[in-house]
């Protein structure tokens, strides 16, 4: 099984071992009845599709050398570039070729405007322990005729030095052990407004607050920091907006429907310093993000987009940066916070590293 629809109730689509972390999360989103209308058309090229390529590359001299702990930074760069270059010419077996033709046909016939977004979905990606956020390659506005190139480019990014470094630092044993790889091919969303929503406040770890960053156009301008996004802080318990800040949004990234290119356009003065979300859209977004959190059972980071009149949830993953606190010490939603204070930390100076900001803000 090399191609799986993520808009299905088939449980195999929720298996990270088969479709990777990002794709499994998208399949899980679709299974929430009230959110099905907000899930984009998506497919996954499974780990089985990429395994033949991994079998070739992971037995190569370059890959074996890249796993050497003593390899220099410059040499690792050379070796990884060689591996990435090899990805362009790896042979397709008959099953891979059939799966590629199937997904190309779906992009051409079923995707609005015939454009796709090609995104990584490694087995451990978007997990509770490791997110791999922003490390793998993403291709936007891809037509069926260029889909194979985009998939190969996305796969090649698996061998980037940044990925090996991330795996080494995130793994407690310092291991660079290989991980399975999958790719999501989803309908490209021509968004007017987009951004990121957190079902808990990542600034102070408050589980009662939802934080939303928003800007005009595609969400890439929010994620890559090319604009100062609007920020909304919303009390989920009292269901009201408690703080909002207008960002200076001088640019917006928009999709050129004719050729799939991503354009950076100047934003007029009437929108540059105006809020990008209406109250109605904000309320709908918060409600949807809270539903995702409830279904997943933990605070989530959600990438979202609005077209003319439709909210689309592009991705959901755990928030991995919240300050951890034991369940028995956690106050219930809406209740007054309890301050826990360790006198030994203040009196004995038992740490030489900075405190997490939540420790001091209370």
């Amino acid at each position: 099984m090399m191609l799986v629809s993520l808009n299905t109730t088939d449980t195999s689509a929720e298996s990270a071992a088969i479709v990777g972390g990002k794709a499994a999360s998208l399949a899980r989103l679709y299974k929430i009845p009230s959110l099905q209308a907000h899930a984009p058309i998506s497919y996954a090229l499974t780990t089985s599709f990429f395994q033949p390529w991994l079998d070739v590359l992971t037995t190569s001299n370059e890959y074996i050398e890249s796993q050497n702990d003593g390899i220099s930074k410059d040499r690792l760069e050379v070796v990884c570039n060689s591996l990435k270059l090899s990805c362009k010419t790896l042979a397709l077996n008959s099953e891979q070729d059939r799966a590629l033709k199937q997904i190309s046909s779906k992009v051409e016939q079923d995707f609005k405007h015939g454009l796709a977004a090609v995104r990584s979905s490694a087995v451990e990606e978007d997990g509770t322990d490791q997110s791999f956020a922003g490390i793998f390659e993403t291709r936007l506005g891809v037509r069926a005729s260029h889909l194979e190139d985009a998939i190969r480019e996305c796969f090649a990014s698996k061998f980037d030095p940044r990925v090996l470094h991330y795996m080494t630092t995130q793994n407690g044993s310092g291991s660079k052990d290989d991980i399975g790889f999958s790719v999501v091919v989803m309908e490209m969303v021509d968004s007017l407004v987009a951004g990121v929503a957190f079902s808990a406040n990542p600034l102070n770890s408050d589980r009662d607050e939802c934080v939303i960053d928003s800007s005009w156009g595609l969400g890439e301008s929010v994620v890559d920091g090319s604009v100062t996004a609007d920020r909304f802080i919303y009390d989920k318990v009292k269901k009201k907006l408690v703080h909002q800040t207008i960002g200076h949004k001088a640019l917006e990234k928009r999709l050129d429907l004719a050729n799939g290119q991503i354009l950076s356009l100047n934003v007029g003065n009437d929108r540059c310093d105006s809020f990008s979300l209406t109250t109605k859209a904000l309320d709908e977004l918060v409600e949807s993000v809270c539903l995702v959190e409830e279904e997943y059972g933990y605070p989530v980071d959600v990438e979202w987009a609005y077209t003319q009149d439709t909210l689309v949830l592009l991705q959901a993953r755990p928030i991995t940066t919240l300050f951890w606190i034991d369940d028995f010490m956690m106050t219930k939603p809406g209740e007054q916070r309890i301050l826990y204070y360790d006198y030994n930390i203040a009196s004995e100076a038992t740490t030489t590293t900075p405190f997490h900001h939540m420790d001091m803000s209370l």
Side-chain angles (χ1 to χ4, degrees):
M1 179 172 55
M2 290 192 172
L3 182 64
V4 171
S5 170
L6 303 179
N7 306 105
T8 178
T9 56
D10 186 343
T11 55
S12 65
E14 289 186 71
S15 170
I18 296 174
V19 300
K22 184 182 279 94
S25 181
L26 280 167
R28 192 173 178 182
L29 270 178
Y30 182 80
K31 290 185 72 174
I32 304 174
S34 57
L35 294 182
Q36 282 188 4
H38 301 298
I41 300 175
S42 305
Y43 294 86
L45 285 168
T46 68
T47 52
S48 296
F49 179 94
F50 294 96
Q51 193 58 51
W53 289 354
L54 285 173
D55 291 341
V56 172
L57 292 176
T58 55
T59 56
S60 67
N61 291 333
E62 290 88 348
Y63 182 81
I64 293 170
E65 185 179 356
S66 74
Q67 302 301 294
N68 186 345
D69 290 338
I71 191 171
S72 69
K73 182 179 179 180
D74 290 342
R75 180 57 185 167
L76 180 62
E77 189 81 29
V78 171
V79 169
C80 287
N81 284 339
S82 178
L83 287 167
K84 290 163 73 173
L85 190 62
S86 298
C87 293
K88 294 183 178 181
T89 55
L90 288 166
L92 289 166
N93 63 34
S94 58
E95 195 174 355
Q96 285 174 307
D97 185 61
R98 183 164 55 251
L100 188 58
K101 287 178 179 177
Q102 288 174 340
I103 186 59
S104 296
S105 175
K106 291 181 184 302
V107 169
E108 201 165 41
Q109 298 176 17
D110 300 338
F111 284 23
K112 192 174 182 180
H113 310 301
L115 296 171
V118 179
R119 311 182 74 180
S120 65
S121 183
V123 168
E124 296 184 21
E125 189 173 356
D126 291 354
T128 54
D129 297 320
Q130 301 179 32
S131 69
F132 288 88
I135 293 182
F136 295 113
E137 190 68 30
T138 293
R139 286 283 302 276
L140 304 177
V142 180
R143 291 212 176 275
S145 57
H146 295 99
L147 191 58
E148 181 180 344
D149 290 341
I151 291 167
R152 287 180 182 273
E153 186 175 335
C154 190
F155 173 69
S157 67
K158 173 179 167 53
F159 301 99
D160 192 278
R162 294 180 305 160
V163 175
L164 294 179
H165 176 72
Y166 182 86
M167 290 171 64
T168 302
T169 56
Q170 292 294 310
N171 189 314
S173 64
S175 171
K176 294 185 242 183
D177 287 345
D178 190 61
I179 57 172
F181 196 80
S182 172
V183 158
V184 172
V185 180
M186 66 166 60
E187 183 177 64
M188 185 69 196
V189 177
D190 183 25
S191 59
L192 300 179
V193 182
V196 182
F198 302 89
S199 69
N201 191 331
L203 304 176
N204 60 14
S205 295
D206 191 333
R207 269 67 165 178
D208 288 356
E209 292 181 346
C210 181
V211 176
I212 294 168
D213 290 339
S214 168
S215 189
W216 305 113
L218 302 178
E220 277 60 38
S221 58
V222 176
V223 175
D224 65 21
S226 57
V227 300
T228 302
D230 299 333
R231 172 161 289 173
F232 305 87
I233 300 179
Y234 197 101
D235 188 317
K236 299 186 298 182
V237 178
K238 297 179 181 177
K239 296 185 177 181
K240 69 175 185 178
L241 183 66
V242 295
H243 186 73
Q244 58 182 347
T245 305
I246 294 180
H248 184 67
K249 306 171 293 296
L251 295 173
E252 65 176 330
K253 294 186 178 181
R254 294 301 304 271
L255 177 64
D256 186 335
L257 298 178
N259 55 29
Q261 289 185 351
I262 307 302
L263 307 176
S264 290
L265 306 175
N266 292 323
V267 174
N269 292 334
D270 58 327
R271 292 191 302 141
C272 181
D273 294 315
S274 300
F275 282 116
S276 50
L277 277 177
T278 64
T279 300
K280 180 181 178 181
L282 180 63
D283 290 343
E284 179 187 32
L285 179 55
V286 171
E287 181 180 1
S288 298
V289 170
C290 289
L291 281 173
V292 177
E293 179 185 58
E294 182 180 350
E295 172 68 22
Y296 283 33
Y298 48 72
V300 289
D301 160 358
V302 177
E303 289 186 19
W304 56 271
Y306 266 105
T307 59
Q308 283 286 358
D309 54 4
T310 304
L311 170 64
V312 184
L313 303 180
L314 303 171
Q315 174 180 306
R317 61 188 177 200
I319 303 175
T320 58
T321 56
L322 294 177
F323 181 79
W324 181 85
I325 186 170
D326 199 278
D327 288 343
F328 83 90
M329 299 171 69
M330 185 78 71
T331 53
K332 294 181 180 179
E335 287 189 353
Q336 185 176 358
R337 301 295 187 266
I338 298 173
L339 174 63
Y340 294 97
Y341 178 72
D342 188 339
Y343 177 77
N344 290 322
I345 292 178
S347 62
E348 303 297 332
T350 56
T351 180
T352 58
T353 58
F355 285 107
H356 189 286
H357 47 72
M358 178 181 174
D359 299 333
M360 303 307 292
S361 66
L362 290 178

